[in-house]
């Protein structure tokens, strides 16, 4: 029999849809932070909620397909919703004239529509392709189809994660230093192409009418059994298994199949923790990559932070044959050959990957200034356009030039020690001052840094304390911090930071003294309104102060780096990505194989739906942890996830001791890697 031509339409459709999905997902977290101005915790929450919905909705898509519309209509109708979602989020990136809130609402609406759309594709498209074959006559063709289908999934993912970041950053449009409309627009076009290709093959498809849905049947049986069991609490009648209480409405085979499926689902309970770690490659790890140097000199090319995600599908294609021919035979020699053993080892590898990511984060952040026990630090910024002499009975005499900073270590007599200081302005550069002297009290707190800003207030000197203590600290996410110190006569000005490699405005900051701002790493030219100030270089995890003062004819500035980070190469992420990909091969693919071989024939769709739900709930875990915000240092959060993963796998091992493998001989077996990137 000839190979069904219809499946090529399905394979091309899947390639375009996966390109669309992974293209959008690759740049999403950077869009949320840089354009929609969510902070990194909020962006992580939105990203993982979008993934959660995308993996929760297939449960309803499967019910809609099997019980009402059938696979073809479900794919078409929900793909149209999917495409509308793509167009809406592309529109949000174009809507620069909208208020920020309206732009955010539009983007969130687009994400919801895309999540609904994926619910019609994930549970239907591969099985719809299987429907095109006559079995058992074309069983060999069917297995070849799933291999090609899996290749198209990974090819779409691989190409989109490579190309979309280039569209985002390699092109500049609409006055921005990036082009998200193009990065979202190309995946949107690919989704429209996917729909066109899929509909074009209609005359060749074998379209089966919807039948009763096994998911609905399973939930109905479980609900009915629990209801009858509770009503028989006081009865002496006892069943062998609680599901047998549904025997008045469901057949013995249905009950037996559901029992077998529940045995497997029970072992799925720890699985969400793996996906909580795995899916952070597109959120936390991408944000980590934004703090790293992607320059590859011998190629004269800079790797974008979101392009690191391309390593995963690439390594998956390389690792699958390597694991089958080398790794698994070696593991078998040391007794690790059963699926549940491989799954547990994959979980431990995921934990190791997050330990490595914590090491990288620590290296990026670098060391912070430590104030010795029993001492305090005093900082005085001279924001005045004259040289200053500092006198105090508690301190040596200091000469402080204009725009300079004085940093002193002092041993306070108590937890907080206050004493007076006299500031004397150089008379040669202060003809307009009513007095050349200022006497003011300063405080030094043990173990802390206290900072003061000396500035002009009309015709006299003024000393401003910067908060109770100078609590500028390296942020959790590793982004640079900029604090601006300026006199009141500059408070109506705007600081403009322009990237050196771009003519477009990158950042505008309304000047307000003592306010801190988070800024992206990079080299900038700084302007105050239209007046050039100086070149500024913001390194990762750095704490910076910009002191501004107006002299007689122009504005002077001084850029001070208080805390430094490390601009390490993006290749430092490769070990954690390699280990996580190895974890994926052992965990994800083995899980699919285990679920498929251990589930009764009638329950395979139920197990596939539950497997998708573990991905959804894994992303929900990330949302909860990000919302709680346990730690100020992102490295500690990585270690928390690693520790939870280890504990989770220990529980999984204990749960798996009682499981007895079933030998279920199905006429057709889907290759174990078929759903990997579809998931």
């Amino acid at each position: 029999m000839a190979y069904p031509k219809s499946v090529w339409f399905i394979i091309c459709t899947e390639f375009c849809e996966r390109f669309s999905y992974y293209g959008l997902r690759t740049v999403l977290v950077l869009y949320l932070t840089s354009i929609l101005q969510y902070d990194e915790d909020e962006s992580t929450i939105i990203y993982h909620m979008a993934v959660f919905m995308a993996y929760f909705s297939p449960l309803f898509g499967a019910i809609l397909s099997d019980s009402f519309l059938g696979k073809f209509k479900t794919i078409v109708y929900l793909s149209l919703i999917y495409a509308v979602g793509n167009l809406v989020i592309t529109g949000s990136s174009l809507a620069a004239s909208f208020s920020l809130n309206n732009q955010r609402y539009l983007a969130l609406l687009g994400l919801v529509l895309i999540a609904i759309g994926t619910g019609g594709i994930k549970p239907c498209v591969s099985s719809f392709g299987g429907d095109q074959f006559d079995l058992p006559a074309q069983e060999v063709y069917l297995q070849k189809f799933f291999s090609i289908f899996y290749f198209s999934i990974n090819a779409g993912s691989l190409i989109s994660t490579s190309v979309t970041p280039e569209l985002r950053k390699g092109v500049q449009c609409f006055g921005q230093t990036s082009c998200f409309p193009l990065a979202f627009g190309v995946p949107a076009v690919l989704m429209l192409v996917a729909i066109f290709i899929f509909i074009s093959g209609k005359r060749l498809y074998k379209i089966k009418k919807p039948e009763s849905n096994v998911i609905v049947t399973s939930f109905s049986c479980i609900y009915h059994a629990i209801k009858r069991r509770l009503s028989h609490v006081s009865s002496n009648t006892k069943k062998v298994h609680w599901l047998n209480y549904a025997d008045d409405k469901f057949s013995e085979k249905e009950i037996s199949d559901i029992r077998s499926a529940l045995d497997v689902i029970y072992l799925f309970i720890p699985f969400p923790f793996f996906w909580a770690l795995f899916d952070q490659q597109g959120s936390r790890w991408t944000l980590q990559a934004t703090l790293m140097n992607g320059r590859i000199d011998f190629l004269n090319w800079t790797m974008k932070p979101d392009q690191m995600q391309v390593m995963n599908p690439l390594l998956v294609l390389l690792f699958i044959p390597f694991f089958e021919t080398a790794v698994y035979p070696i593991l078998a020699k040391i007794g690790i050959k059963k699926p549940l053993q491989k799954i547990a080892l994959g979980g431990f590898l995921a934990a190791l990957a997050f330990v490595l990511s914590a090491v990288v984060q620590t290296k990026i952040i670098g060391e912070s200034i430590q104030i010795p026990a029993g001492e305090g630090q005093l900082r005085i910024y001279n924001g005045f356009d004259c040289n200053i002499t500092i006198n105090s009975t508690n301190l040596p005499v200091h000469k402080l030039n204009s725009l300079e900073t004085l940093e002193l270590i002092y041993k306070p007599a108590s937890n907080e020690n206050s004493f007076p200081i006299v500031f004397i302005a150089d008379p040669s550069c202060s003809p307009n001052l009513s007095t050349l002297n200022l006497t003011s009290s300063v405080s030094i707190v043990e173990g802390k840094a206290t900072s003061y800003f000396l500035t002009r207030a009309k015709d006299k000197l003024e000393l401003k304390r910067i908060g109770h203590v100078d609590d500028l600290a390296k942020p959790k996410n590793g982004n640079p911090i900029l604090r601006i110190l300026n006199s009141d006569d500059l408070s109506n000005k705007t600081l403009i930071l322009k990237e050196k490699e771009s003519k477009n405005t990158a950042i505008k900051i309304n000047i307000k003294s003592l306010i801190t701002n988070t800024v992206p790493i990079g080299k900038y030219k700084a302007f105050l309104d239209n007046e050039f100030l100086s070149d500024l270089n913001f390194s990762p995890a750095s704490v910076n102060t910009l002191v501004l003062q107006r002299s007689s004819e122009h504005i002077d500035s001084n850029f001070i780096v208080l805390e430094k980070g490390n601009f390490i190469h993006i290749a430092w992420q490769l070990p954690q990505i390699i280990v996580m990909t190895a974890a994926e091969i052992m965990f994800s693919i083995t899980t699919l194989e285990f679920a498929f071989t251990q589930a009764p024939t009638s329950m395979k769709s139920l197990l596939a739906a539950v497997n998708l739900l573990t991905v959804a709930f894994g992303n929900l875990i990330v949302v909860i942890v990000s919302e709680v915000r346990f730690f100020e240092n992102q490295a500690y959060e990585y270690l928390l996830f690693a520790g939870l993963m280890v504990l989770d796998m220990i529980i999984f091992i204990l749960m798996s001791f009682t499981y007895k493998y079933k030998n279920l001989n199905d006429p057709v077996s889907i290759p174990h890697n078929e759903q990997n990137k579809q998931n």
Side-chain angles (χ1 to χ4, degrees):
M1 298 179 67
Y3 197 88
K5 296 179 180 178
S6 57
V7 300
W8 295 109
F9 290 90
I10 297 169
I11 289 170
C12 291
T13 298
E14 183 66 8
F15 170 84
C16 293
E17 187 275 328
R18 289 291 88 183
F19 184 105
S20 177
Y21 178 77
Y22 279 98
L24 180 142
R25 183 168 152 172
T26 298
V27 301
L28 177 58
V29 74
L30 299 183
Y31 176 63
L32 294 171
T33 54
S34 62
I35 303 299
L36 299 187
Q37 299 177 29
Y38 289 106
D39 67 35
E40 297 198 355
D41 283 325
E42 292 170 335
S43 299
T44 299
I45 290 169
I46 294 170
Y47 175 92
H48 287 283
M49 279 304 299
V51 178
F52 168 80
M53 291 187 294
Y55 286 94
F56 193 80
S57 61
L59 181 65
F60 302 100
I63 295 172
L64 185 66
S65 169
D66 291 350
S67 300
F68 301 101
L69 297 178
K71 295 184 182 70
F72 177 80
K73 289 184 178 179
T74 300
I75 292 172
V76 171
Y77 294 161
L78 293 188
S79 291
L80 290 172
I81 296 175
Y82 194 138
V84 171
N86 277 121
L87 295 174
V88 168
I89 197 168
T90 303
S92 76
S93 66
L94 286 166
S97 60
F98 284 24
S99 69
L100 179 60
N101 282 339
N102 288 336
Q103 196 174 6
R104 287 176 170 182
Y105 294 148
L106 201 61
L108 295 178
L109 174 62
L111 291 176
V112 170
L113 293 174
I114 289 170
I116 293 172
T118 58
I121 295 176
K122 285 183 183 297
C124 299
V125 67
S126 60
S127 57
F128 184 68
D131 289 345
Q132 308 309 305
F133 295 86
D134 291 324
L135 300 176
Q138 291 186 312
E139 181 177 339
V140 175
Y141 287 162
L142 176 64
Q143 294 193 10
K144 183 184 291 186
F145 160 74
F146 280 119
S147 296
I148 299 172
F149 185 82
Y150 175 71
F151 180 84
S152 72
I153 291 169
N154 279 275
S157 171
L158 183 65
I159 295 173
S160 66
T161 50
S162 303
V163 172
T164 311
E166 287 293 338
L167 299 176
R168 173 191 67 84
K169 190 63 177 175
V171 180
Q172 297 175 0
C173 60
F174 303 104
Q176 300 290 333
T177 58
S178 59
C179 193
F180 281 98
L182 186 61
F184 289 142
V186 171
V189 170
L190 263 291
M191 192 61 220
L192 293 172
V193 171
I195 297 171
F196 174 78
I197 293 173
F198 185 73
I199 294 175
S200 297
K202 182 179 180 181
R203 61 184 179 84
L204 299 175
Y205 296 144
K206 294 178 182 177
I207 301 176
K208 296 181 180 180
K209 294 182 179 180
E211 301 172 354
S212 60
N213 189 288
V214 68
I215 297 176
V216 174
T217 301
S218 300
F219 280 119
S220 298
C221 179
I222 293 170
Y223 171 76
H224 186 67
I226 293 174
K227 183 179 178 182
R228 289 198 71 211
R229 175 69 181 87
L230 293 176
S231 65
H232 287 74
V233 171
S234 59
S235 173
N236 292 326
T237 304
K238 291 187 177 181
K239 303 285 186 179
V240 176
H241 190 274
W242 62 269
L243 265 179
N244 290 105
Y245 282 92
D247 57 6
D248 64 321
K249 188 175 179 180
F250 296 88
S251 69
E252 183 179 345
K253 184 179 185 307
E254 287 175 324
I255 293 173
S256 176
D257 285 352
I258 294 172
R259 282 183 60 181
S260 296
L262 289 178
D263 288 341
V264 178
I265 292 173
Y266 169 71
L267 292 176
F268 279 8
I269 294 173
F271 287 4
F273 275 98
F274 173 83
W275 296 111
L277 274 65
F278 180 82
D279 279 337
Q280 287 188 64
Q281 292 180 94
S283 57
R284 291 295 193 194
W285 285 12
T286 297
L287 294 171
Q288 183 186 68
T290 63
L291 305 173
M292 305 174 79
N293 179 14
R295 185 66 182 172
I296 302 176
D297 291 328
F298 71 91
L299 294 176
N300 194 29
W301 174 69
T302 300
M303 174 170 269
K304 315 302 183 293
D306 34 354
Q307 278 180 321
M308 284 302 287
Q309 295 178 60
V310 77
M311 298 304 300
N312 176 254
L314 179 62
L315 289 171
V316 165
L317 294 177
L318 295 174
F319 277 12
I320 287 176
F322 175 67
F323 269 67
E324 292 292 343
T325 57
V327 175
Y328 287 150
I330 293 173
L331 291 176
K333 291 181 180 180
I334 60 174
I336 300 176
K337 53 187 176 181
K338 294 182 179 180
L340 296 180
Q341 293 173 321
K342 295 177 183 177
I343 290 170
L345 182 55
F348 288 126
L349 286 175
L352 175 59
F354 262 62
V355 172
L356 294 174
S357 68
V359 172
V360 171
Q361 189 74 14
T362 301
K363 189 169 182 63
I364 291 171
I365 298 297
E367 295 182 356
S368 296
I369 296 174
Q370 299 294 324
I371 300 175
E375 297 181 354
Q377 187 179 61
L378 174 66
R379 292 192 188 119
I380 299 176
Y381 298 90
N382 184 7
F384 187 57
D385 57 349
C386 290
N387 299 334
I388 299 293
T389 300
I390 299 176
N391 282 326
S392 173
T393 57
N394 297 68
L395 300 172
V397 175
H398 288 276
K399 298 285 188 180
L400 191 58
N401 294 333
S402 176
L403 295 180
E404 281 190 353
T405 303
L406 174 67
E407 294 187 0
L408 294 173
I409 294 295
Y410 182 82
K411 293 184 178 181
S414 59
N415 183 51
E416 182 170 356
N417 194 183
S418 298
F419 53 86
I421 290 183
V422 178
F423 300 91
I424 305 171
D426 187 339
S428 64
C429 62
S430 308
N432 298 321
L433 287 179
S434 60
T435 175
L436 297 177
N437 296 345
L438 169 67
T439 301
S440 183
S441 180
V442 298
S443 295
I444 298 181
V445 181
E446 182 181 355
K448 302 289 186 180
T450 51
S451 295
Y452 293 85
F453 179 50
L454 185 66
T455 184
R456 180 196 293 269
K458 295 182 180 179
D459 61 346
K460 61 181 180 179
L461 293 173
E462 181 180 29
L463 187 68
K464 295 181 179 180
R465 181 168 178 170
I466 306 173
H468 177 64
V469 294
D470 195 350
D471 56 358
L472 279 187
K474 294 187 176 185
K476 166 184 174 179
N477 51 33
N479 282 331
I481 286 180
L482 172 64
R483 178 174 60 190
I484 301 171
L485 302 178
N486 60 275
S487 55
D488 293 339
D489 59 347
L490 297 178
S491 60
N492 60 344
K493 299 286 187 179
T494 300
L495 178 68
I496 300 173
L497 303 179
K498 294 184 178 181
E499 285 187 283
K500 285 190 174 182
E501 298 178 358
S502 169
K503 296 180 180 179
N504 297 315
T505 299
I507 304 171
K508 290 184 178 181
I509 302 173
N510 292 325
I511 296 295
K512 189 175 182 181
S513 186
L514 313 185
I515 296 298
T516 59
N517 306 269
T518 300
V519 293
I521 63 173
K523 296 179 179 179
Y524 298 88
K525 289 185 176 295
F527 298 82
L528 200 60
D529 289 344
N530 295 320
E531 182 177 344
F532 175 72
L533 295 177
S534 63
D535 292 334
L536 305 181
N537 184 10
F538 298 111
S539 59
S542 60
V543 178
N544 311 279
T545 298
L546 180 64
V547 182
L548 302 175
Q549 69 171 23
R550 184 190 295 278
S551 63
S552 57
E553 297 181 354
H554 60 279
I555 297 171
D556 295 323
S557 66
N558 188 26
F559 185 65
I560 304 160
V561 180
L562 299 176
E563 297 266 12
K564 295 180 180 180
N566 297 306
F567 197 37
I568 64 175
H569 199 272
I570 204 167
W572 276 86
Q573 276 199 329
L574 283 176
Q576 67 200 55
I577 294 173
I578 291 171
V579 173
M580 182 59 79
T581 304
E584 176 189 2
I585 299 296
M586 301 197 71
F587 188 99
S588 177
I589 295 179
T590 308
T591 297
L592 292 167
E593 179 183 11
F594 172 75
F596 190 82
T597 58
Q598 297 299 293
T601 303
S602 62
M603 294 286 107
K604 295 189 187 301
S605 61
L606 173 64
L607 267 294
V610 174
N611 191 41
L612 292 175
L613 287 180
T614 65
V615 182
F617 287 114
N619 281 270
L620 193 59
I621 291 172
V622 183
V623 170
I624 294 170
V625 173
S626 298
E627 182 65 32
V628 174
R629 307 187 186 194
F630 287 109
F631 304 108
E632 290 301 319
N633 190 328
Q634 182 61 48
Y636 297 154
E637 186 175 297
Y638 289 146
L639 292 176
L640 171 66
F641 275 108
L644 290 174
M645 189 72 240
V646 170
L647 179 62
D648 185 60
M649 284 298 97
I650 292 173
I651 294 172
F652 172 73
I653 291 170
L654 296 175
M655 293 169 61
S656 66
F657 281 155
T658 58
Y659 184 80
K660 295 181 179 180
Y661 289 91
K662 302 174 182 64
N663 185 15
L664 301 172
N665 297 315
D666 297 303
V668 178
S669 291
I670 297 175
H672 61 257
N673 57 8
E674 176 265 315
Q675 295 186 47
N676 181 44
K677 273 296 174 291
Q678 188 181 8
N679 288 352

